[in-house]
Amino acid sequence: MVTYPVFIPLIPLASFAIIVFFGKWLKEKSAWVAILASAASCVLSLRAAWTVAQGGSFHQSFNWLMINNIPLEFGIAIDPLSAVMLFVVTFIGTLIVIYSVGYMHEDPRYARFFAYLSLFLFSMLGLVLSSTLVQIYLFWELVGLCSYFLIGFWFEKKSAAEAGRKAFITNRIGDIGFFLGIVTFFYATGTVRFADIRPELIHAHAGSAVLTASALLLFCGAVGKSAQFPLHVWLPDAMEGPTPVSALIHAATMVAAGIYLVARLFPLFHAFPDVSQVIAIIGTVTALMAAFFALTQMDIKKVLAYSTISQLGYMTAALGVGGMTAGTFHLMTHAFFKALLFLGAGSVIHGSGVQDMNEMGGLRKTMPITFWTFVMATVAIAGIPPFAGFWSKDEILVRAFESGHRIIFWALVLTALMTSFYMFRLLFLTFFGKTRGHLHPHESPLVMTLPLIILAFGSALIGLPGSPWMHHWFQNFLAAGHPEEIGMNSFVVTISIATSVAGFLTAFALYVLKPELPKRFAKKYWVLYEASKNKLWIDEFYQATVIGWFKAVSKNAFVFDAEVIDRTVNEVGLKTISVSRIKNWIDQYIVDGLVNLTGWTVRKISAVLRLIQTGYIHNYLFVLLLGLLVIVFAVFNI
């Protein structure tokens, strides 16, 4: 019996197929096919989430392969964690698809864009519903392929083509680790089913060094996909894709996949304190580092890109210190306000024609809807109560504080301070003051502003499950057997609110009251300013080392191929031609000569013998008689 959740990913897949085969005739109507498909998946996802919230669950599978008499499943599984992800992916994905109608309306590859969006949604939904590590890996790679298509959608731009290639290659590095992790996990435990990854299974193999290595390798997949240090470098360049792609990748789908994987494998990681420590440290370093980079960026989408990396680091750190509920909750709230920020930035770019904040300013008067929705998103990500970001950020800080990780706690507090500062900096530079460029801004059409309004309400209300009124219910629902005793901590709440307000006041003072001060500070603290502006020269370091070495090896391999292998092949070819010429001469003048001589001899002899074939009977009798006489003389020796 096929249950309705099976159709959640299949409907976007059908949309992709319809647009691919009939997009030439559908043209602008391709968008409505994608919208209806994503909306239908959203309705089914909400129904599934409601069923799970009532205590239900879904699991349907079939045996795909047999390995050493062990069945390998392929199916769907919906539990509280996947239910939350289904809601996030389909709801925000639908709004992004609707928004794309206005943003992409003049693009010559309009239908193809919506085909890619549908395929992306299918891939992400298939990933969320996967019941085994092998199945999630297949969709994991398909998500990466779709991101390559979408980031490099405007491939005629060199920067877009390079960004797509950079994202694809960087993710492959993490995916290699992920693949090896799956193999080693199967070797150590004999299973790849998520349902089997329980404390009992982990404790049964806890002494295995292979399982520890497997956990670290599996985390490598999350490092690549969720842009954690040191594989974070692909995500800022991914801004070369259309803005709806940025919102889709950075809010609801691709980057969320890594966090989802860590949450899904939480029992495994939590069983090994050293592995959890590594996860927490990488997450904290990523959060702090990316927030530092965002302080000085002037490209509106680059600021949001580094903000995404920082917030993903926040989630990873939460999962590392044991905050499964806190990290997953922040994933949900972040999806709403970050999608709103990216779509708001897209609205700004669409209405003003620029994305450099040096040329913006004063846009709040000409773009009021974009402005007010952007304000709500900024307040949410800054963590100002009662907006969504406050509740999820507070849970992460409480978890870090009460787990005893003081260094991680204060690093995350500093990250929260910088987050509030750079987001209000972006808000003031974009919408306040006077226009610094030669712009003719206008508000975006309703098809673009309506999703902004819906996401703005979501950014304000989606944090309610983490509020004191629903806090325990949401924890029990999401923790799924891993309860976290986290309550409101007055000290942490005070610190959290203080950092948000301090970031706002500092940004207001520097970019509204005294806009000349930032340049003075940049000159006075030029070392920190240049380090932030140039992202600690990590990209340049990779270019000079890893990429430079790879290019050097590739160049030497090319020279070896051209000078040794190709030359050897060419010499062999030339020698073969020479030998062939000699062989041809022998064949032509000796072999063919002997054959021709034989033929000539036979022809001459036959010409002589032909003379006795006269056709007269008396001639034949004469020859017969003559032959008889010869025989008689020979026999009797006469």
Side-chain angles (χ1 to χ4, degrees), residues 284-608:
T284 304
V285 170
T286 303
L288 190 61
M289 176 191 67
F292 177 64
F293 296 163
L295 296 175
T296 56
Q297 303 303 311
M298 294 306 297
D299 185 310
I300 189 171
K301 290 176 69 175
K302 285 289 180 69
V303 175
L304 297 179
Y306 284 110
S307 171
T308 299
I309 297 173
S310 180
Q311 295 302 304
L312 291 169
Y314 232 84
M315 302 171 207
T316 303
L319 293 166
V321 297
M324 190 267 192
T325 302
T328 309
F329 183 37
H330 195 59
L331 185 152
M332 181 175 70
T333 60
H334 173 263
F336 276 82
F337 55 69
K338 186 52 62 69
L340 176 55
L341 287 169
F342 270 111
L343 296 185
S347 180
V348 169
I349 296 168
H350 182 271
S352 65
V354 298
Q355 62 186 66
D356 186 348
M357 292 188 294
N358 285 314
E359 301 180 45
M360 297 179 186
L363 298 182
R364 72 182 188 277
K365 297 178 181 178
T366 52
M367 306 182 72
I369 298 177
T370 302
F371 167 66
W372 285 111
T373 54
F374 209 95
V375 167
M376 295 180 73
T378 302
V379 171
I381 193 174
I384 295 177
F387 285 79
F390 166 74
W391 304 109
S392 55
K393 182 190 73 172
D394 182 68
E395 280 204 26
I396 293 174
L397 292 177
V398 169
R399 184 63 192 178
F401 181 79
E402 295 189 350
S403 64
H405 296 82
R406 290 294 186 266
I407 296 177
I408 290 176
F409 169 75
W410 287 110
L412 295 180
V413 168
L414 180 57
T415 300
L417 174 64
M418 290 192 289
T419 300
S420 178
F421 171 78
Y422 67 66
M423 284 309 307
F424 280 108
R425 168 182 176 267
L426 184 154
L427 181 72
F428 296 141
L429 285 174
T430 303
F431 295 101
F432 286 74
K434 296 181 179 180
T435 303
R436 294 176 289 277
H438 302 286
L439 308 179
H440 302 284
H442 58 83
E443 185 60 275
S444 299
L446 180 63
V447 72
M448 294 176 66
T449 54
L450 181 61
L452 299 183
I453 295 171
I454 295 173
L455 286 171
F457 280 103
S459 298
L461 302 176
I462 200 64
L464 290 180
S467 64
W469 308 283
M470 301 177 66
H471 183 74
H472 293 292
W473 173 85
F474 186 71
Q475 279 189 351
N476 294 332
F477 168 71
L478 192 58
H482 308 283
E484 300 168 31
E485 295 298 329
I486 306 175
M488 299 293 288
N489 185 301
S490 57
F491 171 74
V492 174
V493 170
T494 303
I495 292 293
S496 176
I497 297 176
T499 55
S500 301
V501 174
F504 162 74
L505 294 176
T506 305
F508 184 77
L510 292 178
Y511 294 98
V512 177
L513 299 179
K514 299 288 185 180
E516 70 280 359
L517 286 180
K519 292 184 178 179
R520 295 182 185 176
F521 284 128
K523 290 182 179 179
K524 184 174 182 180
Y525 303 103
W526 64 272
V527 175
L528 291 175
Y529 176 78
E530 291 296 328
S532 173
K533 184 179 178 181
N534 293 284
K535 291 88 68 179
L536 290 177
W537 298 275
I538 293 176
D539 281 280
E540 289 77 7
F541 173 76
Y542 285 162
Q543 286 287 342
T545 55
V546 179
I547 298 175
W549 296 337
F550 182 79
K551 286 183 176 180
V553 170
S554 300
K555 184 178 180 180
N556 291 329
F558 173 78
V559 171
F560 180 80
D561 180 69
E563 298 297 327
V564 179
I565 297 177
D566 284 356
R567 178 169 292 182
T568 302
V569 171
N570 293 336
E571 288 296 326
V572 171
L574 291 173
K575 298 303 181 185
T576 302
I577 292 173
S578 299
V579 172
S580 300
R581 287 173 179 171
I582 296 172
K583 180 181 177 182
N584 180 64
W585 185 89
I586 294 173
D587 182 70
Q588 183 177 357
Y589 293 100
I590 297 179
V591 178
D592 287 355
L594 290 173
V595 172
N596 293 335
L597 177 62
T598 303
W600 180 84
T601 303
V602 172
R603 190 168 60 250
K604 293 300 182 182
I605 294 173
S606 63
V608 175

Side-chain angles (χ1 to χ4, degrees), residues 172-194:
R172 295 293 72 70
I173 297 172
D175 292 353
I176 291 172
F178 186 24
F179 177 78
L180 295 175
I182 295 173
V183 173
T184 52
F185 183 83
F186 180 77
Y187 173 80
T189 64
T191 184
V192 290
R193 296 173 70 246
F194 289 126

Side-chain angles (χ1 to χ4, degrees), residues 92-169:
I92 295 180
T94 301
L95 294 177
I96 292 172
V97 175
I98 295 172
Y99 176 93
S100 301
V101 174
Y103 193 88
M104 302 295 293
H105 71 282
E106 294 181 352
D107 196 279
R109 294 187 291 273
Y110 187 83
R112 182 188 297 183
F113 181 79
F114 285 94
Y116 286 161
L117 288 185
S118 295
L119 184 61
F120 205 142
L121 287 175
F122 160 72
S123 305
M124 190 63 196
L125 291 171
L127 186 153
V128 171
L129 292 169
S130 295
S131 59
T132 68
L133 279 167
V134 173
Q135 184 180 345
I136 202 174
Y137 181 78
L138 297 177
F139 285 105
W140 188 275
E141 292 300 317
L142 190 55
V143 166
L145 179 64
C146 293
S147 69
Y148 171 74
F149 290 152
L150 288 169
I151 294 170
F153 185 75
W154 290 325
F155 55 83
E156 58 272 9
K157 290 170 54 180
K158 182 180 179 182
S159 57
E162 290 180 347
R165 184 168 62 249
K166 183 176 183 179
F168 188 80
I169 294 174

